[in-house]
Amino acid sequence: MLKTSRLYLGAIFCLILFAAPLVAQNVRSVAAGISAAEAEKWREDLRYLAEEMPRRHRNLFHAVTREQFDTAVKNLNERIPSLTRNQIIVEFTRIVAMVEDGHTSVAGLMTDPKIGFRSYPLSLYFFKDGLFVIAADREHADAVGARVVKIGNASAEQAYDAVKGLVFHDHNNEFGLKASAPFVLVTPEVLHAVGLVEDMDRAKFVLEKDGKQMTVELKPFARAGAAAHGSLWDFIKPQGWVDARDAAQAPAPLWLKNVRDLFW
C-alpha cells in the first residue's frame, strides 16, 4: 500500500506541475520570465501540491515539520511572479525533496520532454576522493577520468551544497544524495536556477587530470527520454560516448552486467 502510494505520488506530481500551457515555452528563453497569467497557473499547481501531498502520503512529515512545509509553500507562492520557468520548477522540486523520501519525487525531472531540461555532455560520480568525470561525449574525451574542481562559479563542494536540497533521497541517507546529485550537477536549467551558471548554453567546468587543470566550455544537449543519459537508475552511456571503463581489463562488476534490466 505504501509503495503504491509513493510511486503514485511521483507520477502525479510530474503530470500536475507541468501540465500548464507554459510548458511549451522554450527553455532557452528563461530570462524572459513569466506572465501574470502563467504565474497564476503555477500558483494553482502549488496549491494543489500543498493539499495533495499530505493527503496522499502515509507520513509526509516524518522528516520535515508541517510548519516548515507550509512556510516553504508560502514563500514560493509569493516569489513565483519574480521567477523564471526553470526556477519555479526547481523550487517545486525543493519542496518535494524536503520530505526526504526517495520514492516521493517530481517524476521525470531530468528526462521528461514536457519539462524539457537538458544535460551537459558529461557523466559525473562521487568517489571517496571527490567528484569525477566517468564518461563524456567524444568532443570532451580528454575530460574522462578528471576530477571536477569547479562548476560554473563555484567549487565542486559548493556546487554540491547548492543542489543537494533538490535531490530526492531517504531521510539521513548521505549516499542517496551523493548517488543522485551528479545528475543534477550536469543539468543546465538547475545550475542556472541556483546561480551556479549565468549562461546555460556556455557553462565552464574546471577539471584536473594528471596534475594539470583544464577549463572546458560545455554546451547542453536534449535528453532523449527516460532511457537516455540522465536516468537516475542506470549507467548506460549515450551512443558514441567515451567511458572510463572502456579500457578496463577486468570484466564488468556484477552490478553493472545488466544495466538495461532494472529488475535484474
Side-chain angles (χ1 to χ4, degrees):
M1 182 75 172
L2 177 58
K3 181 177 180 182
T4 302
S5 175
R6 286 176 170 178
L7 290 175
Y8 182 63
L9 275 169
I12 195 169
F13 291 140
C14 180
L15 294 173
I16 293 168
L17 298 182
F18 311 113
L22 66 121
V23 299
Q25 175 184 339
N26 189 327
V27 294
R28 299 176 189 272
S29 303
V30 293
I34 61 171
S35 68
E38 291 169 339
E40 184 51 37
K41 290 180 184 297
W42 283 112
R43 281 173 160 167
E44 290 175 9
D45 284 347
L46 182 61
R47 285 192 290 270
Y48 189 87
L49 178 143
E51 293 171 359
E52 292 298 306
M53 284 187 70
R55 188 174 75 84
R56 294 178 182 272
H57 197 289
R58 183 172 179 179
N59 182 19
L60 190 74
F61 303 112
H62 68 281
V64 63
T65 67
R66 180 72 194 233
E67 182 180 8
Q68 290 170 325
F69 180 83
D70 289 344
T71 297
V73 170
K74 179 177 180 294
N75 289 342
L76 177 55
N77 185 69
E78 293 173 352
R79 294 174 59 210
I80 280 176
S82 66
L83 300 178
T84 58
R85 177 182 181 271
N86 65 311
Q87 289 172 330
I88 294 170
I89 294 173
V90 166
E91 292 308 314
F92 268 90
T93 302
R94 191 185 305 279
I95 290 175
V96 177
M98 288 173 63
V99 178
E100 294 192 24
D101 176 347
H103 290 277
T104 298
S105 65
V106 178
L109 179 66
M110 305 300 169
T111 55
D112 193 324
K114 290 183 180 179
I115 298 174
F117 281 8
R118 298 163 295 166
S119 177
Y120 294 119
L122 302 179
S123 285
L124 309 179
Y125 191 81
F126 274 107
F127 293 93
K128 289 182 179 180
D129 49 348
L131 180 65
F132 284 79
V133 178
I134 59 172
D137 66 356
R138 293 206 173 275
E139 182 180 349
H140 301 94
D142 289 346
V144 176
R147 181 175 65 88
V148 179
V149 179
K150 293 184 69 175
I151 296 176
N153 56 18
S155 68
E157 293 78 12
Q158 291 169 331
Y160 172 62
D161 287 340
V163 304
K164 66 182 182 181
L166 311 173
V167 176
F168 311 120
H169 67 289
D170 291 323
H171 183 53
N172 288 333
N173 187 341
E174 179 70 14
F175 181 77
L177 288 169
K178 289 287 183 73
S180 297
F183 297 97
V184 181
L185 288 169
V186 293
T187 303
E189 289 75 18
V190 173
L191 298 187
H192 172 268
V194 300
L196 293 177
V197 300
E198 294 182 6
D199 184 351
M200 291 186 289
D201 292 324
R202 299 177 62 178
K204 290 184 178 180
F205 280 54
V206 177
L207 310 173
E208 183 179 75
K209 186 175 182 181
D210 299 327
K212 298 179 181 179
Q213 286 195 1
M214 56 180 163
T215 299
V216 295
E217 188 173 270
L218 302 175
K219 297 180 180 180
F221 68 95
R223 291 179 171 123
H229 170 64
S231 167
L232 300 187
W233 50 77
D234 69 43
F235 281 76
I236 304 171
K237 63 183 179 184
Q239 187 175 3
W241 276 36
V242 177
D243 192 293
R245 295 178 288 136
D246 288 343
Q249 300 298 314
L254 191 62
W255 69 282
L256 286 173
K257 285 189 174 179
N258 289 311
V259 292
R260 295 183 182 277
D261 184 351
L262 299 183
F263 302 103
W264 179 78

